[in-house]
Amino acid sequence: MKRLFSILAFIFAAGNAGAQEPGLKIGDKAPEIRLLTAANDSFALSSLRGRLVLIDFWATWCAPCIKEQPELKHLYDGLKKHVGEGKFEILGVSLDKSRENWIKTIERLQIGWPQVSDLKFWRSPVAKAYHIEELPFNVIIDGHGKIIAMNLHGKELEAFVRRHLETD
Amino acid sequence: MYQIMIYRIFLAGLLAVLAFQVEAQQKQEPWKPGQLMATKVLADRILAGKAENMLIVSIGPDDPIEGSIDIGPGKDKESIAALKSLLGKTPKDKEVVIYCGCCPFDRCPNIRPAFKLMNDMGFKNAKLLDIPRNIKVDWIDKDYPVKEEEN
């Protein structure tokens, strides 16, 4: 009976879209992210000002995140022109702990966009600042660093990004 | 009114199917429902200083829980070898609690190989920390006891 109640609760919770992000909402300014890249260089989200940025929160231990990377790569490759013109970028923020796993996976998946991590797993201050409760999770910010979409995936994500770049 | 009835019947049917699936899934797990330990139970024991007689082992990517031993992700052979060696030095009746906390159980690749090893080695008092979502939401965000961070 207890199980039945939890399923019921789950169904109601699932219907409550946006439950993922109690803290941040569309229209908020995206908290700054200043972390080291895989090459150990400092990188700031604010250095991407002026671009539409997809901040992809992922980790090598997150199976659905790994599954999504080729889709992001497809999106990125299709928008090469916009990336080159400084209009679009993806920032990968990993919640990994193992630097070795992180770097190996970036190489294996041939991810070409900037990648940063504090290698603190779920203890990452970035996970706290963005109120991340589950991976994969992403945020899209406009040229002013304002959040314009959250947690879009697949076709919905691609359509949103393309629409935004075309009307810009 | 009629529509509401139909909707209710539909919902009841859906729930029955879901409950059955959950039941079927649980039967295949290496742990029994009674071997799941709620996070609050463990947190309270650590805070009350009553966790010394138990062994808390992280079999996930990191070991944030105070007093826990890190052996690495349970999906890796090396971690299972490390767990085997650790358990080899542990009395079989000792309470051993393992945890991962990367993701919900259905997505976690680490808990099953580790729990199976405890069963195979005959640990009767083996427990799995019941983390419905992840170690952040179900432990860190609740201000349960965590280790001091390295570096």
Side-chain angles (χ1 to χ4, degrees), chain B residues 77-107:
Chain B
K77 275 188 195 134
E78 308 85 70
S79 311
I80 291 300
L83 181 60
K84 200 171 182 173
S85 136
L86 174 71
L87 292 176
K89 294 174 233 155
T90 308
K92 300 260 196 265
D93 57 350
K94 189 161 176 116
E95 187 173 21
V96 182
V97 186
I98 62 165
Y99 73 97
C100 173
C102 71
C103 9
F105 285 170
D106 59 341
R107 287 202 223 148

Side-chain angles (χ1 to χ4, degrees), chain B residues 9-23:
Chain B
I9 292 167
F10 170 76
L11 202 67
L14 190 75
L15 283 177
V17 169
L18 276 172
F20 179 75
Q21 281 181 344
V22 169
E23 196 81 53

